[in-house]
Amino acid sequence: MGIVKRQSIWNLASGYLGVFFGAMNGLILFPWAFPQNPEEMGLVRWVISASLLIGAVSHLGWPQTIVTYFPRVSSALHTRIINTGLLASSICLLILFLVAISLGDSLIIFFMKDYFDPSFWLVFPFAGIYIVFELYSSQLIHNQQVVFPYWLKDIGKKLLLTILLMAFGFGIISSIDTFLFLLMLGYSCYALFVFIAAKKIKISILEANKVWPKREMFRYSLVMLLTVSAQMSFGQLDILMIGSFLGLAAVAQYSIAFSFGIVVAMPMKAMNASLRPIISKYVAEGNWEELRHIGMRSLSTQWVVSSFLFLVILSVSPWIFNILPEAYQGGQSALFWVAAAQLVNVSTGPSGLILVASKNFKWELYANLVLILFALTAGATYIPTKGVEGAAIIFFTAIVLYNLVKLVALYRLTGDLWLGIKFLKSFTWLVFGVIFHFMFWDLLFFVNIDQLFMNAIHGSFYSIIEILVFLIWTFFGLYILNLSPDLKSSLNRILNWNKK
């Protein structure tokens, strides 16, 4: 687990720095740069989401295929396999572009309620850049060089957005079109950096005559195409439905809640990024005992850290949303459900990585197709009446169903759910923390919690008090309840550092 710990720490650092820049962008810089025009924030968020969806369809599942199959084929074939993916992805992206042109402006009107903008067409070059970045990042991930691409993805992209927002706010950038073009140029540079790093990987020429399993890889890639497309569709569906039913201003409000709530999943994202190539290797070897051991250890650590972050978000959210401009405040009711959905994702640990790399990889596809149907049906009836909170509740419900399906698939594969008594104890510990949050101020101070945060100074003071209480509660969980021995050991080393 040494390399996992080291890379997880780096990825965790990048994740939280990314969250910092993302929060600063969403909570401060976007409202400052577009004080009266949340639609323009919604446009930027919409273009990014739509391009990710188109890119996920166009890359044909090849990045996932690379990570899964590179351990099984000669390294001399890796470049050839990547070039095949680039060619196939380019053809697919061109076909989608031609279809969009044939539909014309009616496509923009359908996806952007009451806001017609030709920037819609930028989603295709953005998608092409995304494809190049993902394909060569997968080669780096296979080579266990996961830190560099994740730092670019987590920090680089958000920092670029920070710089552009500041330039827009100070009048250096004068139009939203220029803003989007510069954003695309920056993303292109990141894809170039990943390409250069991947080309530095040394390839063994001695194995050049070995044959790669084309038919098997293309079958797997087809399923991954449908799976990743379904995942991406579901992941971006809330943004697209909100834009269609409620308009781009609501997209901006929901995006703030989402960028704030996503912090809960950062520990899982950081650790799973490091585990991904290791899990692919163990699945290929059929080493289920070691996989279960890794899965249980990572879950215990992820859950405690993510639960603490969830409690912190509950503590500061009333104050944060109160200091936003009024046009951006509509997402507070959605935040709880967005953050809770991330916590549900954490509860199943790295099971998704195992299923994708195993013979049961089709379960991921089936689960996402069902969830897309659920989200479309529920969203069409619920979002127009319940707004962004309705979208968040649908998102949460779908995530719960999705993770239940993952647990069933994991049980069919391994005969175990990988939860156990320790997870139930950790879950109970979290529930008491959530109850404390909703009852603390009412019971002890006989005041309504919403009124405490009307004043910015008072709100920050009360948030700090509650965070300190939850910090003590987390130390109680670690040192008294022993919820995560690995995390406790890491904290002990940090606390004893000065004594050595």
Side-chain angles (χ1 to χ4, degrees):
M1 293 283 285
I3 189 172
V4 174
K5 284 187 177 181
R6 288 193 302 272
Q7 293 186 347
S8 294
I9 290 172
W10 280 103
N11 289 334
L12 193 61
S14 73
Y16 285 121
L17 283 172
V19 167
F20 168 76
F21 286 115
M24 185 168 65
N25 293 340
L27 299 174
I28 299 174
L29 293 181
F30 264 116
W32 169 68
F34 311 112
Q36 305 300 325
N37 299 295
E39 296 86 359
E40 293 191 334
M41 175 186 176
L43 175 63
V44 174
R45 182 68 179 88
W46 190 94
V47 167
I48 294 173
S49 294
S51 65
L52 291 177
L53 176 56
I54 293 173
V57 173
S58 300
H59 68 41
L60 303 173
W62 212 244
Q64 289 72 27
T65 305
I66 286 172
V67 175
T68 301
Y69 276 88
F70 268 20
R72 310 178 191 183
V73 301
S74 165
S75 60
L77 297 168
H78 289 180
T79 300
R80 185 178 171 190
I81 292 172
I82 291 178
N83 290 340
T84 301
L86 280 173
L87 177 61
S89 299
S90 300
I91 294 172
C92 185
L93 183 61
L94 177 61
I95 292 172
L96 291 177
F97 178 66
L98 294 175
V99 170
I101 288 179
S102 68
L103 294 174
D105 292 342
S106 60
L107 197 62
I108 306 177
I109 296 171
F110 177 79
F111 280 112
M112 297 181 177
K113 179 181 175 64
D114 301 327
Y115 192 91
F116 183 92
D117 196 293
S119 298
F120 168 87
W121 299 105
L122 290 177
V123 298
F124 292 98
F126 268 103
I129 296 165
Y130 167 79
I131 291 169
V132 174
F133 185 94
E134 288 296 312
L135 282 172
Y136 286 101
S137 291
S138 296
Q139 187 177 13
L140 293 176
I141 291 170
H142 159 73
N143 212 46
Q144 294 193 356
Q145 299 178 28
V146 303
V147 174
F148 178 63
Y150 276 93
W151 271 67
L152 286 180
K153 187 181 296 186
D154 290 333
I155 298 178
K157 292 185 176 181
K158 294 183 177 67
L159 180 58
L160 173 63
L161 197 55
T162 300
I163 295 171
L164 293 178
L165 285 170
M166 293 180 67
F168 194 95
F170 285 118
I172 300 172
I173 299 175
S174 58
S175 70
I176 191 66
D177 291 334
T178 304
F179 182 96
L180 289 170
F181 276 115
L182 290 174
L183 184 65
M184 184 171 61
L185 178 62
Y187 284 5
S188 300
C189 290
Y190 294 153
L192 179 61
F193 296 156
V194 169
F195 170 79
I196 293 172
K199 286 301 180 182
K200 291 181 179 179
I201 297 175
K202 293 183 179 180
I203 303 296
S204 173
I205 305 299
L206 296 177
E207 305 171 291
N209 293 325
K210 290 192 176 181
V211 178
W212 57 292
K214 292 182 183 178
R215 183 173 299 180
E216 182 182 352
M217 289 183 67
F218 275 111
R219 282 201 303 266
Y220 182 85
S221 175
L222 177 60
V223 176
M224 285 299 102
L225 162 64
L226 298 175
T227 302
V228 174
S229 298
Q231 285 178 336
M232 195 67 72
S233 297
F234 177 68
Q236 306 301 326
L237 201 56
D238 46 1
I239 293 292
L240 300 181
M241 286 194 296
I242 291 172
S244 181
F245 292 132
L246 304 177
L248 293 181
V251 171
Q253 295 167 358
Y254 184 82
S255 297
I256 290 174
F258 196 87
S259 62
F260 197 18
I262 197 71
V263 66
V264 173
M266 285 298 108
M268 177 189 72
K269 182 180 178 182
M271 185 169 285
N272 285 359
S274 302
L275 286 173
R276 189 177 175 188
I278 297 173
I279 285 176
S280 295
K281 178 176 177 290
Y282 282 144
V283 170
E285 296 172 354
N287 192 343
W288 302 111
E289 183 177 349
E290 186 63 27
L291 280 169
R292 185 183 186 278
H293 177 65
I294 292 175
M296 295 288 286
R297 288 179 63 182
S298 63
L299 173 59
S300 66
T301 300
Q302 292 172 17
W303 181 262
V304 172
V305 178
S306 294
S307 297
F308 171 70
L309 294 173
F310 179 75
L311 296 172
V312 170
I313 285 175
L314 293 184
S315 303
V316 302
S317 60
W319 170 64
I320 291 293
F321 276 90
N322 185 62
I323 63 176
L324 286 172
E326 185 176 353
Y328 289 85
Q329 291 181 1
Q332 182 177 354
S333 59
L335 177 61
F336 174 84
W337 298 105
V338 171
Q342 305 305 319
L343 202 58
V344 172
N345 268 333
V346 172
S347 68
T348 54
S351 58
L353 298 178
I354 294 168
L355 292 172
V356 167
S358 73
K359 63 182 180 181
N360 284 2
F361 58 87
K362 293 181 181 179
W363 276 83
E364 191 89 357
L365 170 61
Y366 301 150
N368 278 280
L369 290 177
V370 171
L371 294 187
I372 289 173
L373 181 62
F374 166 79
L376 286 173
T377 305
T381 57
Y382 208 56
I383 292 177
T385 57
K386 297 296 183 179
V388 293
E389 183 180 13
I393 293 173
I394 292 170
F395 176 69
F396 170 80
T397 306
I399 290 295
V400 171
L401 295 174
Y402 167 69
N403 281 276
L404 287 175
V405 172
K406 276 206 303 187
L407 288 179
V408 172
L410 184 67
Y411 183 80
R412 287 174 60 90
L413 182 66
T414 66
D416 196 342
L417 294 177
W418 295 14
L419 295 177
I421 299 299
K422 181 167 288 187
F423 175 78
L424 294 178
K425 186 166 63 172
S426 299
F427 180 78
T428 304
W429 164 82
L430 171 64
V431 169
F432 277 106
V434 175
I435 293 173
F436 173 86
H437 164 74
F438 284 110
M439 299 181 64
F440 177 65
W441 299 106
D442 287 342
L443 290 179
L444 296 186
F445 297 98
F446 304 102
V447 293
N448 187 296
I449 188 172
D450 293 328
Q451 296 177 356
L452 293 175
F453 296 92
M454 295 303 293
N455 182 285
I457 297 177
H458 291 170
S460 62
F461 174 72
Y462 291 124
S463 293
I464 291 171
I465 291 178
E466 192 173 0
I467 289 172
L468 290 175
V469 172
F470 286 138
L471 185 61
I472 295 171
W473 182 240
T474 301
F475 276 104
F476 173 81
L478 286 175
Y479 287 93
I480 305 300
L481 301 179
N482 196 31
L483 299 181
S484 175
D486 284 335
L487 183 57
K488 182 172 70 173
S489 175
S490 298
L491 284 175
N492 285 337
R493 283 197 296 272
I494 295 172
L495 294 174
N496 295 326
W497 180 75
N498 289 328
K499 298 180 181 179
K500 295 182 179 180

